[in-house]
Amino acid sequence: MSVKIGAHVDLSDAVAQAKEIGAEVAQAFLSDPQAWKVPPLDHPGGAEAFREETAAAGIDVFVHAPYVINVASTNNRIRIPSRKLLQQIMTGAGEIGAKGVVVHGGHVTAKDDPDVGFDNWRKAIDALETDVPVLIENTAGGDFSMARRLDRLEMLWAAVMRANGAENVGFTLDTCHAWAGGIDLATAVDDIRAITGRIDLVHANDSRDTAGSGADRHAHFGDGNIPPELLVGVVAAAGAPVVCETHGDMGPDIAWLRERLAA
C-alpha cells in the first residue's frame, strides 16, 4: 500500500537528513521542545528557503509543538503562556508550509474538574488564528490526561468540535503512547475514528515498556514490546502519513515498515 513514511529530523538540515534515511515525511521542532521561547527559524535562508527545498524534494512537513504546552491546564501561569506559544508555533508552521502541528493533549490535576480542561481546549482552538491543522496527539501516561484513554478523548473531541476553527482540528495517533496508555492497538484505529472521524498522522513507534505501563519510552521496531503485526496493522488501517520518532538512525525503521506494508 502507498503510505508516506518518514521521521523526526532537525529543522536546519531537514531535507538532507530525510533523503539520507529515505523519508518522504519530515517532522521537526521550530524551537526547543522544553522551552517557552521561539527563536528565529533555524534554517539557512529562513522560512521561504525551507518551503522551497522541501517542496522541491517532495517532502511533506509536520511540526511538533513544544512539550511544555498544556492548554488544558487550570493554572493561568501555564495555560496562558501555552496558548501564546501555540499561536507562535502555528504561525511559524504556516510560514514553512507545514501540513499540520502536533500538540500533546495535556492534563489537569487531581483536584481539577476534567470538564474545565476540555473546555480550556475549546477556548484555545477558538483563539487560534491559523489555517494549519492542529493535530491533537494521544498521550501515554497520567490519570488526569485529556487524551490518554478513549473515554477522555471522546470528551475532549466533543469540546473542541464546539470551537470556532473546529474544522482545523485533526488527530495524531501515537502507537507507543496508545500501547502504554492502555488502548488496544488491534482496534485503535476504528475506535479512534469512531470518536474523531479522522486520523491525520501516525507516530509509529515501538514501546520499551509493557502494555498499560503509562511509560512514554519509544523503541526501534523489533526492540520493544509491541507485536510487529499490531504496529503494521495500525499503519495500514490508518492510511495516514507516518512519522517514526525513536532517537538514533531511523533509516532501518523506515525500511522495516515499508517492507512489511508491501508484503
Side-chain angles (χ1 to χ4, degrees), residues 3-253:
V3 171
K4 289 187 175 183
I5 303 171
H8 193 95
V9 299
D10 294 329
L11 189 75
S12 60
D13 198 27
V15 171
Q17 287 185 26
K19 285 181 175 179
E20 186 178 342
I21 58 176
E24 302 160 300
V25 180
Q27 178 181 275
F29 292 117
L30 295 185
S31 61
D32 181 339
Q34 302 291 356
W36 291 97
K37 293 188 182 297
V38 181
L41 193 73
D42 182 22
H43 186 80
E48 185 175 352
F50 183 91
R51 201 166 57 242
E52 290 173 356
E53 289 167 25
T54 52
I59 295 169
D60 290 341
V61 177
F62 291 86
V63 167
H64 200 304
Y67 301 138
V68 293
I69 289 176
N70 181 9
V71 298
S73 178
T74 59
N75 184 337
N76 288 347
R77 293 182 179 181
I78 297 172
R79 185 183 67 261
I80 293 170
S82 290
R83 283 170 54 169
K84 180 182 177 182
L85 179 55
L86 181 57
Q87 179 63 67
Q88 290 176 302
I89 296 296
M90 299 306 301
T91 300
E95 290 171 353
I96 67 168
K99 302 286 187 184
V101 174
V102 179
V103 186
H104 286 178
H107 60 275
V108 293
T109 68
K111 67 180 189 299
D112 293 323
D113 179 353
D115 283 340
V116 177
F118 299 133
D119 199 51
N120 282 342
W121 253 110
R122 177 191 63 78
K123 292 174 181 175
I125 298 300
D126 256 344
L128 279 180
E129 295 180 11
T130 183
D131 293 327
V132 179
V134 178
L135 306 181
I136 300 174
E137 180 180 2
N138 62 302
T139 49
D143 290 333
F144 310 103
S145 299
M146 301 288 96
R148 174 182 178 177
R149 298 185 174 93
L150 294 173
D151 58 339
R152 287 291 179 89
L153 178 58
E154 191 167 1
M155 290 184 277
L156 171 58
W157 211 257
V160 296
M161 286 300 105
R162 293 194 295 270
N164 292 323
E167 68 278 2
N168 272 341
V169 181
F171 191 77
T172 297
L173 168 56
D174 187 301
T175 57
C176 172
H177 295 179
W179 170 264
I183 293 175
D184 183 357
L185 286 182
T187 59
V189 171
D190 287 343
D191 292 340
I192 288 168
R193 275 217 186 100
I195 296 168
T196 65
R198 57 195 288 176
I199 293 173
D200 300 80
L201 185 66
V202 173
H203 282 172
N205 304 297
D206 207 333
S207 172
R208 185 197 70 181
D209 296 281
T210 55
S213 65
D216 182 5
R217 293 292 182 270
H218 298 181
H220 292 287
F221 298 138
D223 290 346
N225 281 288
I226 304 179
E229 65 273 14
L230 287 180
L231 284 164
V232 177
V234 166
V235 172
V242 176
V243 170
C244 304
E245 296 182 305
T246 306
H247 292 299
D249 182 9
M250 297 309 301
D253 286 63

